């Protein structure tokens, strides 16, 4: 198994379904890993791996929708594609509201599953890039002094140096020095860039 490549994790208690989906994915060059239950998947410690999850609704033990909530509560954001032979509209609605990217009723066209999987892998890549960017910004922000953070917080609101100086009770020259340090440490090319960075850092803290 190539850990540098994304994997499609197939969780279904029916071995024939697992094998069929796994063979389909391998035939189009995708990497697949199979599990017979949600507990087996969690025991393998693969929930944070790069990829997406093809999840049966009617699993033994922890059911699919319950497992979706378990992952959500744990902060695990792996994209989920539900498959089931026992679906209904309320079940589908609940899964989609909770963030599933697709809900497929068995038997489903292989093209529909492959399309959903490609969306899931793309979404996972985008989320990982966003998290990496936020982590890099947070690392830069951590290098700021308490005063520089205060200046940054006021700069991104649109306040000019004179206003910031009055707000903090320091000289305008001192504000300019702190402002320059903030721009350098955050690697910001412009005020607009700094505002974008500040928004991303705050969004990362909320999540």
């Amino acid at each position: 198994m190539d850990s540098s490549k994304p994997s499609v994790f197939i969780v279904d208690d029916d071995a024939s379904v697992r094998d069929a989906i796994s063979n389909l994915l391998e035939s189009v060059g995708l990497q697949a890993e199979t599990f017979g239950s949600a507990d087996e998947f969690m025991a393998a410690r693969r929930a944070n791996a790069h990829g997406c999850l093809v999840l049966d609704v009617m699993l033994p033990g922890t059911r699919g929708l319950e497992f979706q909530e378990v992952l959500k509560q744990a902060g695990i954001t792996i994209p989920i594609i539900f498959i089931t032979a026992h679906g209904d509209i309320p079940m589908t609605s609940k899964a989609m509201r909770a963030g599933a990217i697709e809900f497929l009723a068995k038997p489903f066209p292989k093209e529909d599953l492959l399309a959903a999987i490609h969306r899931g892998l793309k979404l996972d890549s985008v989320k990982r890039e966003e998290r990496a960017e936020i982590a890099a910004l947070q690392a830069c922000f951590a290098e700021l002094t308490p005063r520089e953070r205060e200046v940054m917080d006021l700069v991104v609101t649109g306040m000019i140096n004179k206003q910031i100086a009055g707000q903090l009770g320091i000289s305008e020259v001192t504000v300019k020095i702190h402002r320059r340090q903030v721009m350098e440490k955050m690697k910001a090319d412009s005020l607009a860039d700094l505002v974008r960075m500040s928004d991303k850092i705050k969004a990362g803290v909320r999540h």
Side-chain angles (χ1 to χ4, degrees):
M1 197 68 64
D2 187 345
S3 60
S4 67
K5 293 182 179 179
S7 290
V8 180
F9 305 104
I10 305 158
V11 183
D12 196 304
D13 61 321
D14 187 330
S16 64
V17 172
R18 297 197 302 270
D19 291 343
I21 296 176
S22 179
N23 290 336
L24 170 64
L25 297 179
E26 290 173 3
S27 74
V28 296
L30 293 174
Q31 190 164 264
E33 297 181 42
T34 61
F35 305 90
S37 68
D39 292 338
E40 186 181 329
F41 173 67
M42 288 301 286
R45 300 183 181 277
R46 302 292 282 147
N48 279 311
H50 181 15
C52 68
L53 181 61
V54 177
L55 182 62
D56 185 34
V57 172
M58 304 301 288
L59 290 169
T62 306
R63 296 294 179 93
L65 292 177
E66 295 172 35
F67 189 48
Q68 182 185 31
E69 183 60 26
V70 168
L71 293 174
K72 183 178 180 181
Q73 292 299 322
I76 297 171
T77 60
I78 185 170
I80 298 175
I81 300 151
F82 277 106
I83 56 175
T84 183
H86 309 282
D88 54 32
I89 292 175
M91 187 183 293
T92 303
S93 297
K94 182 177 180 180
M96 300 302 283
R97 284 199 306 272
I101 63 173
E102 188 58 271
F103 197 102
L104 299 174
K106 301 175 183 176
F108 42 77
K110 63 181 182 181
E111 294 81 6
D112 290 355
L113 177 61
L114 287 174
I117 286 171
H118 283 299
R119 290 203 312 275
L121 294 177
K122 176 64 176 176
L123 178 61
D124 187 56
S125 293
V126 169
K127 285 184 176 181
R128 287 176 179 278
E129 290 171 2
E130 289 176 346
R131 288 197 293 270
E133 182 183 5
I134 289 172
L137 291 174
Q138 289 173 332
C140 291
F141 186 74
E143 295 298 315
L144 300 181
T145 66
R147 178 64 84 189
E148 287 167 353
R149 293 181 188 184
E150 288 180 325
V151 170
M152 177 175 167
D153 286 342
L154 297 176
V155 166
V156 298
T157 66
M159 292 177 67
I160 62 175
N161 292 343
K162 185 176 182 179
Q163 292 171 318
I164 295 172
Q167 179 83 9
L168 298 179
I170 57 179
S171 72
E172 194 171 342
V173 172
T174 302
V175 171
K176 289 180 180 179
I177 294 172
H178 286 316
R179 186 168 183 156
R180 183 170 64 251
Q181 286 292 100
V182 168
M183 297 296 285
E184 289 178 359
K185 290 182 180 180
M186 293 302 299
K187 302 173 184 176
D189 296 325
S190 65
L191 174 58
D193 202 19
L194 189 66
V195 170
R196 180 188 64 80
M197 292 176 175
S198 176
D199 289 342
K200 283 186 175 290
I201 291 170
K202 290 173 182 175
V205 169
R206 286 195 297 270
H207 291 90

